[in-house]
Amino acid sequence: MPTLRGRHILLTALLVAACGDSTADSTSLTAGTADATTAQTTEPASTSTTTTTTADPSTGATTDPTPTSTASDTDDTGAEGETTPCWPFDQPPLAELRASDKKVFAHYFSPYPLSLDNKDPAEDYYAKHYLQPSGENGKFAYCGGFIKERPLPQPPREGGLDYELLNFEQEVRRAAALGLDGFTYDILNTEGTHWNRLLKLLDAAGNTDPEFRIVLMPDMTSTYQGSDPEAQTLFVDSIVAVAAHPAVHRLGTGELVLAPFAADKRSPAWWAGVLQALAAEGVDAVLWPVFVSPWSAATMSFQAEVPLIGTSSWGPATVPGATGYADNAAQAHALGVQWMSPVRPQDSRPKDLIYSEAGNTQLLRLLWDAAVAGDADSVQLVTWNDYSEASEVSPSSGTQWALFDLTAYYVAWFKTGQQPPIVRDAIYYSHRLHATTAEPDLTLQESLYEPVNGSTPADEIELLAFLTAPATLQIEVGGITESTDAPAGIQSLRVPLLEGTPKFRIVRDGGTVAEVDSAFPISNTIVYQDMLYRSGGSLPCDRGPLLQ
């Protein structure tokens, strides 16, 4: 979660106008805490040749086999949902999505709120420190800056207002717009900045959307240290302090839901003691752990001593790791518990000079397919806003609104059990700023990025098309246009990454029905490596309500 300081200011204007059990991936399972520690200690109070390639049918199996109806952006869809011109589908009403038994939460990582200091985005802490090699007295000069993207730049709030609370309210509105049920909040501390942000987020949820819930996710890798008795006392006291807040997530029967990250850092007996101690304080709680060790064995180990309502894993960060993930829900159900399926778009960590190969949008789509096809009970988006791992779906300077928009489509699919009809042709693109083989200046960058979790580096540009009818997909870059004919539905065209500014088109019946130029030129002349996939989209729309 760059070295794009100048560019992200320009993107602000563009974004307002356009839409624009597995032990594999073990590194990705330890997400969060190391980055949290850093943030916690540093933040402030042309002629073309045409070739044809074959559309890849294995990139998610999401093609709609039946023709979809078309509709203009002004169509009134009535009871079937509201017209949502930012997206290639018309979203069902929020009340319908919320009524689903299937829930979707996004992991909220408190080190990276919309703003750290309420300053102009050109001069704020993200711009001057986290994004720059020279930031924080050169602390991250060895990797070119702590992060490679930032939250979508947020103009300062008026003086005298609680800018943090207002920004949390804005994030709740954005998440609710996707049909999300709430956030899983990573509790990094029981006092100070990160605890206070939890309190404000709880209030923001209550102020903005009374049905939006915050799942308490104690981070067992950082928060509750010391001996078992010391940790239990701290844990119980912190949970009791917020358990009565109306925005905290509970079951329909009233029990408080605890979903600790890295629950296996403490023994099952310890957790049994915690639940008993909470009950003694008048807090009836249930456990839905998120494991960092192989989840199936950990689940059975826990079940021997403490009841579980559900189970989950932090999940894979590569395409091979995502393959077969749909089987996890059935395995969990066989153990008598519910399954929360993890979904992430990518994972790149400048601080550690490592990345996991996501294959453009393939990882995101495969994990959503696993949740849908596997009949998962719920989904955790990993993450809403961890820019230090590039796993966010919240709009950013690097991924713009693309991952946000794709998430909206899959949330509707998961919650309704029906693939939403595509009513607008749309393009979502994805590519890096340079090839994985581009050579940095190793007198400045400490070492080359290492692909981890079994990654095989990929150098491709992707056009992910949502098609109302058959069409031709085209990617033009470096004077070369590659194309393929594709049926209606969700279709992916991936071509080799070349230098230049990619141009993307959907052509039908001799006319261009959708097109967009990438906001990110590709060049292999670099100083620092940057393995973040940038993305954008083609649908123009007014996002004003989500930018306030």
Side-chain angles (χ1 to χ4, degrees):
M1 326 189 208
T3 55
L4 294 176
R5 179 187 173 199
R7 189 175 299 149
H8 74 246
I9 303 302
L10 173 61
L11 286 177
T12 307
L14 297 174
L15 293 170
V16 174
C19 300
D21 189 7
S22 173
T23 57
D25 300 321
S26 57
T27 301
S28 69
L29 297 177
T30 57
T33 307
D35 295 325
T37 302
T38 300
Q40 188 173 344
T41 57
T42 58
E43 71 177 65
S46 83
T47 300
S48 301
T49 59
T50 302
T51 61
T52 301
T53 62
T54 303
D56 188 343
S58 66
T59 58
T62 52
T63 299
D64 184 353
T66 59
T68 55
S69 60
T70 60
S72 71
D73 290 353
T74 58
D75 284 349
D76 182 0
T77 57
E80 295 182 0
E82 299 179 0
T83 300
T84 47
C86 288
W87 299 331
F89 74 109
D90 285 333
Q91 185 186 49
L94 179 58
E96 178 183 335
L97 296 176
R98 289 272 175 82
S100 172
D101 290 336
K102 295 182 180 294
K103 304 302 180 184
V104 182
F105 298 95
H107 185 93
Y108 195 94
F109 198 49
S110 58
Y112 310 111
L114 293 182
S115 176
L116 292 165
D117 50 18
N118 201 38
K119 293 183 179 180
D120 186 301
E123 299 294 330
D124 69 2
Y125 206 85
Y126 282 115
K128 296 185 70 173
H129 293 283
Y130 281 178
L131 293 167
Q132 297 300 319
S134 59
E136 298 190 331
N137 297 315
K139 184 176 181 179
F140 295 100
Y142 71 92
C143 61
F146 180 48
I147 58 179
K148 301 297 184 182
E149 59 178 339
R150 61 170 297 156
L152 201 64
Q154 171 63 44
R157 303 288 183 178
E158 294 181 13
L161 300 178
D162 187 338
Y163 79 90
E164 285 191 310
L165 179 63
L166 293 174
N167 287 348
F168 281 134
E169 290 176 354
Q170 177 169 297
E171 294 201 80
V172 170
R173 283 193 295 273
R174 288 179 180 175
L178 296 181
L180 300 191
D181 297 283
F183 289 138
T184 52
Y185 186 91
D186 192 315
I187 302 177
L188 291 170
N189 212 324
T190 58
E191 60 184 2
T193 297
H194 299 293
W195 181 256
N196 291 335
R197 285 175 183 164
L198 169 60
L199 301 181
K200 289 190 178 185
L201 181 57
L202 287 167
D203 288 344
N207 296 345
T208 307
D209 182 350
E211 295 184 357
F212 193 88
R213 295 290 178 260
I214 307 301
V215 179
L216 301 180
M217 182 167 282
D219 193 320
M220 304 308 295
T221 66
S222 68
T223 311
Y224 304 99
Q225 304 300 314
S227 67
D228 278 359
E230 291 170 337
Q232 177 177 303
T233 298
L234 185 60
F235 188 101
V236 170
D237 288 349
S238 66
I239 300 304
V240 169
V242 294
H245 198 290
V248 170
H249 181 53
R250 293 176 176 271
L251 299 181
T253 49
E255 295 92 343
L256 176 71
V257 176
L258 295 174
F261 172 75
D264 32 346
K265 294 295 183 181
R266 293 285 175 176
S267 70
W270 186 87
W271 285 106
V274 162
L275 294 182
Q276 292 171 3
L278 285 170
E281 295 290 335
V283 178
D284 291 328
V286 294
L287 203 59
W288 193 317
V290 177
F291 292 113
V292 296
S293 59
W295 70 268
S296 182
T299 299
M300 289 186 285
S301 174
F302 267 55
Q303 284 180 310
E305 298 193 50
V306 60
L308 304 180
I309 186 174
T311 189
S312 188
S313 165
W314 195 239
T318 66
V319 171
T323 303
Y325 225 67
D327 296 337
N328 289 1
Q331 294 176 40
H333 295 161
L335 295 173
V337 293
Q338 299 183 55
W339 172 248
M340 182 163 64
S341 197
V343 172
R344 62 150 56 82
Q346 58 179 319
D347 194 313
S348 178
R349 309 183 186 191
K351 178 181 69 68
D352 302 312
L353 291 169
I354 61 174
Y355 71 102
S356 299
E357 181 54 66
N360 301 89
T361 68
Q362 289 184 85
L363 175 66
L364 177 70
R365 292 184 290 121
L366 282 169
L367 288 173
W368 268 117
D369 288 343
V372 173
D375 195 26
D377 302 283
S378 61
V379 162
Q380 179 178 210
L381 300 173
V382 181
T383 61
W384 176 255
N385 65 328
D386 191 346
Y387 304 93
S388 64
E389 296 181 2
S391 56
E392 85 291 336
V393 298
S394 184
S396 75
S397 62
T399 60
Q400 304 186 80
W401 291 90
L403 302 179
F404 183 91
D405 295 351
L406 291 172
T407 298
Y409 186 86
Y410 282 99
V411 167
W413 190 348
F414 176 70
K415 281 177 163 286
T416 65
Q418 301 294 322
Q419 183 174 1
I422 298 171
V423 298
R424 294 171 200 86
D425 294 298
I427 293 168
Y428 296 101
Y429 65 81
S430 171
H431 63 83
R432 293 192 174 101
L433 297 179
H434 59 76
T436 58
T437 55
E439 296 184 2
D441 184 344
L442 292 179
T443 67
L444 297 174
Q445 181 172 314
E446 183 176 80
S447 61
L448 296 176
Y449 269 72
E450 179 186 0
V452 296
N453 299 320
S455 294
T456 299
D459 292 314
E460 293 183 314
I461 301 168
E462 182 182 37
L463 188 167
L464 184 67
F466 283 68
L467 301 178
T468 61
T472 299
L473 312 183
Q474 295 181 349
I475 300 176
E476 179 185 344
V477 63
I480 298 175
T481 298
E482 299 205 29
S483 65
T484 189
D485 294 333
I490 303 176
Q491 302 293 341
S492 173
L493 171 63
R494 300 196 308 277
V495 304
L497 185 140
L498 299 174
E499 293 183 293
T501 299
K503 302 176 183 294
F504 305 89
R505 290 182 290 270
I506 298 174
V507 177
R508 183 182 297 120
D509 299 328
T512 299
V513 298
E515 61 182 338
V516 64
D517 292 356
S518 175
F520 308 100
I522 299 169
S523 173
N524 289 329
T525 303
I526 62 173
V527 177
Y528 291 99
Q529 287 178 297
D530 179 353
M531 297 306 181
L532 171 71
Y533 275 108
R534 267 67 176 184
S535 55
S538 66
L539 287 175
C541 64
D542 177 16
R543 297 194 189 265
L546 300 182
L547 293 169
Q548 296 173 359

